[in-house]
Amino acid sequence: MRIPGPATRDDDGAAAIGAAGGLHLYQRQLHDRYGDVVQFPLPGVGTAVSVADPVLLERTARLDERPEALFAFLSPLCEAGNLQVIGAEEHTPWRRVLLDVLAGRPSHERHFGEFVALAHDLADRWAADDGARGIALQEDLTALSLRMICAYALGGTDPALVDTGRVVHAFEVVLTESIGQMYRPPGADEEARARRVEDALRYLRGTVDRVLDARRGSRARGDRGDLVGALHDAGMTPARIRDTVMVTLLAAHHTTGVAVSWTLHLLSRHPGVADRVAAELDAVLGERAAPDHADLRRLTYLDMVLKEAMRLYPPGPYGARRTDEAITLGPYEIPAGSTVFYPFWAVHMNPAHWPEPERFDPERFTPRAVAGRARLAHIPFGIGPRSCEGAALAVVEARLVLAVLLKRFRFRPVPGHEVTTVERFVLRAADDIRVVAEPREAGRG
Ligand code: HEM
């Protein structure tokens, strides 16, 4: 049976993606129009099959290769092969090391105190803000996440090693320039664009070298959170270690930073939900300004709110795999060597699994509601053997940061500030998210 989708065009599909505003919006248009399985032209790939049905996605969950062209914009960040698309034989041992370092609860607990201190630093700064322009959530929270991954996995937060503001900006330049030009014809300013990217890359490479120099010989023995030491012990080459530090700096900061930003954005517009979060924090923390690691489990409503925010605004809005053999998806046969596009955002907005999908409703994540839904209906961290290695750490970090900020402040939107989504590998707000942070008194909304 032929898979529905837009008619083949003379171009490679770039114009339609550009006209929609990017792949993040195009995927939603495609699925609104053609249903759960859609075939469409994807630049560099040829034809891709996009699957927004969580039950059919199960059939793809063991796939372990990504199509190279879709992630080619990340190649300049790596020197020993683009880590997004390395083959399974190299990827599997690399993933094991990352999971060992990032996913261990003892190591989360050991670094929890540092995370709390960093969250308090930001809250203190916000408390001193005069409120004139409002706080720029994404800018501040992505920088905070970068500090946290440095504290956790890269040996500390010394600003002489990693200048968080400049690193965040340099990654933004690389992603904006490379993704921005993927779906539009080359412009007159190509040379200037290439220069901006090269400058940003040089700065990022210099940062990675500084981190590695500082780590040399200073391994905290027995610290399972030491990424560089663990990669070294696993026999990874120096180039692969450099690439992993680069990719970790990127992957850990912009995703978690926007997840917390979108959550605060939604809470600033839903005061009833914000009141319930505040009441839960008061009940669990009492007079304390921050949770312990063990408290996180008790912040069940906060966790529902975070999950619902990542459903409505998945920080990573799409992914992709290549089929290694023919697979059957419902009535459709997908041959070996095809590209399966993962439209994470369209899956999260699929009305068959999420009634009134645009509505913000944390009740969708009560244990009972979750048990009644398809396993892959909510996939902010992706699927299968290439899913996010940082998921467990990201959830600890996001819950902790939200708890500290929402215990101390109530947020309201800055009037007239428009929030629109844009894709820069992550789903972010084009012009940041500006809010006013008002101090709240413990025990009261
Ligand atoms: C809320 C925060 C985060 C979200 C929503 C997120 C989401 C994602 C998604 C959707 C993918 C692609 C998965 C797929 O293709 O199936 C991914 C991959 C990845 N993420 Fe995250 N991520 C987050 C935080 C982190 C953190 C904190 C780290 C590291 C410390 C991290 C490291 C990675 C890495 C290394 C990959 C590549 C996976 C691979 O190819 O094996 N992420 N993430």
Side-chain angles (χ1 to χ4, degrees), residues 21 78 89 134 144 157 172 202 206 226 264 281 293 297 300 310 313 332 345-346 366-367 385 403:
C78 295
E89 70 294 344
L144 176 63
T157 54
E172 219 174 294
R202 197 172 316 110
D226 175 4
L264 294 179
L281 285 167
H293 187 274
R297 241 176 330 120
T300 51
M310 288 199 288
Y313 297 105
Y332 309 116
W345 206 11
T366 60

Side-chain angles (χ1 to χ4, degrees), residues 50-331:
S50 184
V51 185
D53 176 338
V55 180
L56 292 182
L57 278 176
E58 292 282 1
R59 307 296 307 269
T60 74
R62 55 155 205 90
L63 295 177
D64 197 6
E65 303 272 352
R66 290 199 179 97
E68 283 176 27
L70 192 57
F71 301 100
F73 63 90
L74 293 170
S75 290
L77 291 172
C78 295
E79 53 183 303
N82 183 345
L83 281 167
Q84 279 283 316
V85 297
I86 50 171
E89 70 294 344
E90 282 188 284
H91 177 262
T92 305
W94 178 82
R95 176 178 179 83
R96 204 171 303 128
V97 177
L98 256 69
L99 284 173
D100 262 3
V101 172
L102 299 172
R105 183 183 164 149
S107 168
H108 295 170
E109 287 185 57
R110 202 168 37 251
H111 290 278
F112 200 76
E114 283 168 281
F115 282 8
V116 169
L118 289 167
H120 281 317
D121 283 350
L122 181 63
D124 289 346
R125 203 150 59 68
W126 283 4
D129 189 88
D130 65 9
R133 287 195 66 222
I135 287 157
L137 290 180
Q138 280 178 179
E139 183 181 331
D140 284 355
L141 290 166
T142 49
L144 176 63
S145 291
L146 188 57
R147 279 186 201 105
M148 287 183 167
I149 194 64
C150 289
Y152 182 90
L154 298 171
T157 54
D158 181 353
L161 289 183
V162 179
D163 176 338
T164 41
R166 279 189 75 184
V167 169
V168 169
H169 179 70
F171 276 125
E172 219 174 294
V173 169
V174 174
L175 294 178
T176 302
E177 300 294 352
S178 49
I179 293 179
Q181 58 90 48
M182 274 173 86
Y183 306 116
R184 65 166 189 249
D189 59 349
E190 280 310 288
E191 250 180 59
R193 193 185 66 76
R195 227 181 2 258
R196 277 197 297 279
V197 172
E198 209 31 65
D199 286 350
L201 284 169
R202 197 172 316 110
Y203 181 73
L204 291 171
R205 289 178 190 132
T207 300
V208 170
D209 286 343
R210 277 196 302 282
V211 168
L212 288 168
D213 282 348
R215 290 314 278 155
R216 210 151 280 143
S218 70
R219 172 154 199 210
R221 281 279 150 212
D223 183 353
R224 303 233 350 241
D226 175 4
L227 179 65
V228 176
L231 290 162
H232 186 266
D233 288 356
M236 302 275 161
T237 63
R240 176 65 37 90
I241 295 176
R242 277 196 295 278
D243 292 350
T244 306
V245 170
M246 178 75 92
V247 164
T248 304
L249 283 173
L250 172 65
H253 87 281
H254 61 170
T255 45
T256 320
V258 299
V260 176
S261 301
W262 287 121
T263 308
L264 294 179
H265 164 71
L266 287 161
L267 290 175
S268 75
R269 282 157 174 80
H270 295 85
V273 176
D275 283 347
R276 245 186 99 179
V277 171
E280 179 180 76
L281 285 167
D282 290 343
V284 172
L285 304 187
E287 296 294 308
R288 290 177 298 145
D292 296 332
H293 187 274
D295 291 320
L296 294 183
R297 241 176 330 120
R298 299 164 62 207
L299 297 171
T300 51
Y301 189 65
L302 181 71
D303 190 47
M304 288 159 61
V305 168
L306 174 64
K307 286 187 171 127
E308 174 68 343
M310 288 199 288
R311 179 187 73 81
L312 278 170
Y313 297 105
Y318 63 84
R321 299 290 188 270
R322 207 174 37 222
T323 55
D324 52 357
E325 58 184 18
I327 53 171
T328 306
L329 293 178

